[in-house]
Structure formats: structure tokens, C-alpha cells
Amino acid sequence: MSKIAVMMAEGFEESETLTIVDILRRAHMECHLISTGVELVRGSHNIVVKADAIINDEIKHYDMIVLPGGMPGAANLRDDDRVIKLLQEMNQAGKYVGAICAAPLALGKAGLLEGKNYTAYVGYEQKIETSGTFKEDIVVIDGNLITSRGPATTYAFAYALVDALGGDSMAVKNRMVYFNAFDAE
């Protein structure tokens, strides 16, 4: 079973974080909310979420790490040396790294976007330190790196994460009435 760490720092984007975890768990994947600080983490819209665990070295053995956006959550992830080290270790091991919205800020600081295609929240291509190539696509996959634009693209992002890990996103989409709700293909 695939094991995913979804990181939470104070000021995380609640809708992105919880939707990602929900969809990954619906796909029967082991997904943990990992806090960079305390067990109860306050999001950018003042919703408090209980983490499954606090950041630790075991995460580097997971199959994927995912960074939700939100401010100041994404900046807090970028400024946490433990997060940067985990991103670098997982990337070097060829494991999946995902980031949405403003969270590619941390990928830029970790050096993971160099020579890669990526996307991020509107205008963040000017704030991210990288020589990578910014795309306006809803989801951009370049090797083990998966990025997305923001809260409205979270479903497409989470389904891409499921597919990357070998899961069946189509079954989850059907159970969630995705096609009827959005006239998506």
C-alpha cells in the first residue's frame, strides 16, 4: 500500500489539504497529515486540524510527500529546514513530490524545480527561486514532480497523485460523482 505524507504548517490551505487526504484515502492509500509543529494546526481560514503525526525522519521512507499551499503555510514550509531536507532526500530517492498553490515556493528553495516544468498559484512564478519552466496547466507532471495551481484545481491534483502511485482514480471519480458534477472528462 502506498504511503503519503501531507505536510501541515500554520496557515495551510484547508480545502487543498483535506481534499487531497480525502481522495487519497478513498483510493485506499495510507495518507498521514504531518505537522511541522504542534498536533493541532490552524489553517489560513482559522480551521484547526489535528495532525496524525509530527515531522520525523520516518517520512523519508514514504512513497510521496505533498505540500498544500495557503499563506502563510507555504512560506512556513519553505522556511522549515526539516521540510527542505525531506524534499531533497525524497527527490534524490526518486520518490514522488507534490505541491499545489503557493507551496512550490518550498520546491524552489530545495532546488527541485531546476530544469523542470511546474505550475503554481497565479503570479507565484515570479516569487519562486528556480530556472525551471512555469506552465499554466491545471496539473503539471515532470518525472517524480507533480504540481498544481490552487484550491479549484485540488481535485485534478489529488487524482493525479492517485494515478502516479498506481491507484485507480477513475473508480474514485465515479464514486465521488466527479463527472456529473463538473462535466469533466
Side-chain angles (χ1 to χ4, degrees):
M1 176 184 295
S2 295
K3 202 169 182 180
I4 304 101
V6 177
M7 305 303 295
M8 288 193 308
E10 286 291 318
F12 68 94
E13 170 57 51
E14 297 96 337
S15 67
E16 293 168 359
T17 306
L18 297 176
T19 299
I20 291 164
V21 172
D22 177 67
I23 289 173
L24 289 167
R25 289 181 180 178
R26 286 174 190 256
H28 307 292
M29 296 181 175
E30 188 176 347
C31 183
H32 299 132
L33 285 163
I34 308 294
S35 172
T36 59
V38 296
E39 182 179 49
L40 297 176
V41 187
R42 185 172 305 279
S44 60
H45 299 96
N46 214 24
I47 299 170
V48 176
V49 175
K50 182 180 177 189
D52 297 311
I54 306 299
I55 192 170
N56 61 70
D57 280 341
E58 289 302 309
I59 297 164
K60 66 184 173 188
H61 301 295
Y62 282 38
D63 301 298
M64 178 184 281
I65 185 170
V66 180
L67 307 182
M71 287 304 260
N76 289 335
L77 291 171
R78 176 201 61 206
D79 296 339
D80 190 314
D81 291 337
R82 300 167 302 168
V83 172
I84 299 303
K85 181 181 175 196
L86 271 171
L87 290 170
Q88 292 168 336
E89 289 176 344
M90 292 189 76
N91 185 60
Q92 285 178 330
K95 297 192 177 181
Y96 288 103
V97 175
I100 186 170
C101 196
L105 286 168
L107 303 185
K109 182 176 180 182
L112 274 59
L113 298 176
E114 299 305 316
K116 296 280 195 166
N117 293 314
Y118 74 96
T119 195
Y121 192 75
V122 177
Y124 270 74
E125 69 275 13
Q126 297 169 7
K127 299 177 182 185
I128 297 171
E129 304 169 32
T130 185
S131 62
T133 304
F134 176 79
K135 303 283 187 182
E136 290 188 1
D137 300 351
I138 292 171
V139 175
V140 174
I141 301 171
D142 191 337
N144 66 319
L145 188 69
I146 305 169
T147 53
S148 190
R149 301 297 308 265
T153 67
T154 306
Y155 279 81
F157 178 61
Y159 294 137
L161 300 177
V162 169
D163 290 337
L165 290 166
D168 184 0
S169 70
M170 188 60 71
V172 180
K173 288 176 186 176
N174 286 330
R175 285 194 314 271
M176 293 181 76
V177 196
Y178 179 74
F179 296 107
N180 297 30
F182 297 104
D183 293 324
E185 294 182 12

